[in-house]
Amino acid sequence: MPHHRANADAQLEAALDLLRANHQRVTEPRKAILGILSREHGPFTAEELHKRMKKDTCDLVTIYRSLAVMEESGAVRRCDFGDAAYRYEINTGDHHHHHIVCRSCHEAKTLDMCVADGLERMARQLGYTKVTHLLEVFGVCPQCQENANKQPRPHKN
Amino acid sequence: MPHHRANADAQLEAALDLLRANHQRVTEPRKAILGILSREHGPFTAEELHKRMKKDTCDLVTIYRSLAVMEESGAVRRCDFGDAAYRYEINTGDHHHHHIVCRSCHEAKTLDMCVADGLERMARQLGYTKVTHLLEVFGVCPQCQENANKQPRPHKN
DNA sequence: ATTAGTGCAAATCTTTTGCAGTATA
DNA sequence: TATACTGCAAAAGATTTGCACTAAT
């Protein structure tokens, strides 16, 4: 996979354009958040984003507020891994996907497919509107299994 | 569907037996929680369970602690509807299922099927162990759509 | 110049923990 | 009676809000 950098830049620009299109201001904190989300493999919690920024980029509160507005404009997407902390990833929009999340280190791999369309259809037939779904797979990754005997890979939360 | 009551009683007894089998004590608060979960259609949050009990049955804290131990012994199952509050249902154990949850009133209908088995298999092929998944469908139920013009159906949280 | 965005402090909401007292097996 | 369970108060962690200040458009 070449052009990692170029691809990240393109994602970042697309996200910033979404902000502009939605009459939201392009500020340093927002550029910082989207920069991380486009360059590093997430998704990340607000806390994790904050730690990844260089010191004094912005307050943690600003990250929460920025993520909220950026989700509304479609620049980012919120993920729920069932562990009491929301995570965010950049919204490429081009395809629907889910994750395999390690129970030990919390690292998430992307699954470029979805099997829940049938369920959504069923929900619509039952008369529901604005139908969406939540689908995540959990397990212990090979890396963590290996480290299990020794030291478990550390993770926040 | 006849025998609602009898069925609820059977579920309750089965759950209590699970507690005994796991050397956990059968106390009033636990009987109250399992009673509600077996008789009423959930799943419910700790708070909702507390409100449904007759006054002074037990403290909210006890509900949290009871749910934790009862989940360990398999008497109840925890559901995550992606809204920052865990919900619990009685674990009948006989079949895997998921829910359609209304975004407005939070009422959950049970979906007696699952389409994520393929994803679990894929995760195992990737080397993950202890694989499970989280799958929920969301929408606005017909009832709430109808009430939308008038008063939205109230919901906690 | 407007108005959205920000920092700081404090509030909120859900869940957890410490500890001394109570009840179950 | 031994030890798990409970109540109360208080802590903890994630997220939100109030308000005065700052900066993007």
Side-chain angles (χ1 to χ4, degrees):
Chain A
M1 286 185 180
H3 303 305
H4 266 151
R5 188 57 157 284
N7 193 47
D9 287 351
Q11 279 191 8
L12 175 56
E13 273 315 314
L16 293 177
D17 283 343
L18 267 172
L19 290 189
R20 293 184 190 105
N22 286 274
H23 322 98
Q24 284 164 4
R25 296 179 182 173
V26 173
T27 65
E28 287 309 316
R30 294 177 186 185
K31 281 192 278 188
I33 293 170
L34 294 173
I36 294 169
L37 292 184
S38 63
R39 264 180 279 107
E40 301 185 44
H41 184 262
F44 298 117
T45 63
E47 192 79 49
E48 288 166 350
L49 285 168
H50 198 216
K51 283 194 192 122
R52 266 159 232 264
M53 288 178 181
K54 67 170 82 122
K55 206 172 170 317
D56 289 323
T57 300
C58 74
D59 195 275
L60 176 60
V61 184
T62 295
I63 298 184
Y64 278 107
R65 282 195 269 228
S66 294
L67 288 172
V69 290
M70 296 196 297
E71 187 188 16
E72 263 186 276
S73 57
V76 303
R77 227 159 60 88
R78 188 170 84 172
C79 307
D80 186 330
F81 290 173
D83 71 335
Y86 292 123
R87 285 172 173 73
Y88 292 83
E89 63 185 357
I90 202 153
N91 187 6
T92 57
D94 46 67
H95 65 294
H96 184 82
H97 70 264
H98 294 280
H99 304 91
I100 302 186
V101 184
C102 178
R103 306 195 117 72
S104 175
C105 66
H106 284 192
E107 186 163 306
K109 274 193 153 45
T110 299
L111 292 175
D112 286 311
M113 57 171 295
C114 180
V115 294
D117 314 293
L119 285 180
E120 285 207 2
R121 211 174 307 123
M122 174 184 291
R124 288 193 199 90
Q125 279 168 8
L126 284 169
Y128 285 72
T129 54
K130 296 185 189 168
V131 178
T132 60
H133 66 268
L134 175 55
L135 172 53
E136 305 296 345
V137 180
F138 304 92
V140 178
C141 72
Q143 177 77 120
C144 282
Q145 291 168 49
E146 207 174 288
N147 299 160
N149 312 320
K150 327 168 196 173
Q151 292 284 290
R153 237 206 285 187
H155 69 271
K156 44 278 141 188
N157 267 54
Chain B
M1 284 183 186
H3 302 305
H4 266 151
R5 188 58 155 286
N7 193 47
D9 288 350
Q11 279 191 11
L12 175 56
E13 272 315 314
L16 294 178
D17 283 342
L18 267 172
L19 291 189
R20 293 186 191 103
N22 285 273
H23 322 97
Q24 285 163 5
R25 294 180 182 174
V26 174
T27 65
E28 287 310 318
R30 294 177 186 186
K31 279 192 278 188
I33 293 170
L34 293 173
I36 295 169
L37 292 183
S38 63
R39 267 180 278 104
E40 302 184 44
H41 184 260
F44 299 116
T45 63
E47 191 80 48
E48 288 166 350
L49 286 169
H50 197 216
K51 284 194 192 122
R52 265 158 232 265
M53 286 176 182
K54 67 170 81 121
K55 206 171 169 318
D56 290 323
T57 302
C58 75
D59 195 274
L60 176 59
V61 185
T62 295
I63 298 185
Y64 277 108
R65 282 194 270 228
S66 294
L67 288 172
V69 289
M70 295 196 298
E71 188 189 14
E72 263 184 277
S73 58
V76 303
R77 229 158 58 88
R78 189 170 84 172
C79 307
D80 184 332
F81 289 173
D83 71 335
Y86 292 122
R87 285 173 172 72
Y88 291 82
E89 62 186 359
I90 201 153
N91 188 6
T92 57
D94 45 67
H95 63 294
H96 184 82
H97 69 265
H98 294 281
H99 304 91
I100 302 186
V101 185
C102 177
R103 308 196 115 71
S104 175
C105 66
H106 284 194
E107 185 164 307
K109 274 194 153 45
T110 299
L111 293 174
D112 285 312
M113 56 171 292
C114 179
V115 294
D117 314 292
L119 284 180
E120 285 205 2
R121 212 173 307 123
M122 175 185 290
R124 287 192 199 90
Q125 277 166 9
L126 284 168
Y128 285 72
T129 55
K130 297 184 187 168
V131 178
T132 61
H133 67 268
L134 176 54
L135 172 53
E136 304 297 346
V137 180
F138 305 93
V140 178
C141 71
Q143 179 76 121
C144 281
Q145 291 167 51
E146 208 176 288
N147 297 161
N149 314 319
K150 328 167 195 171
Q151 295 282 291
R153 237 208 283 187
H155 69 270
K156 43 281 142 185
N157 266 52

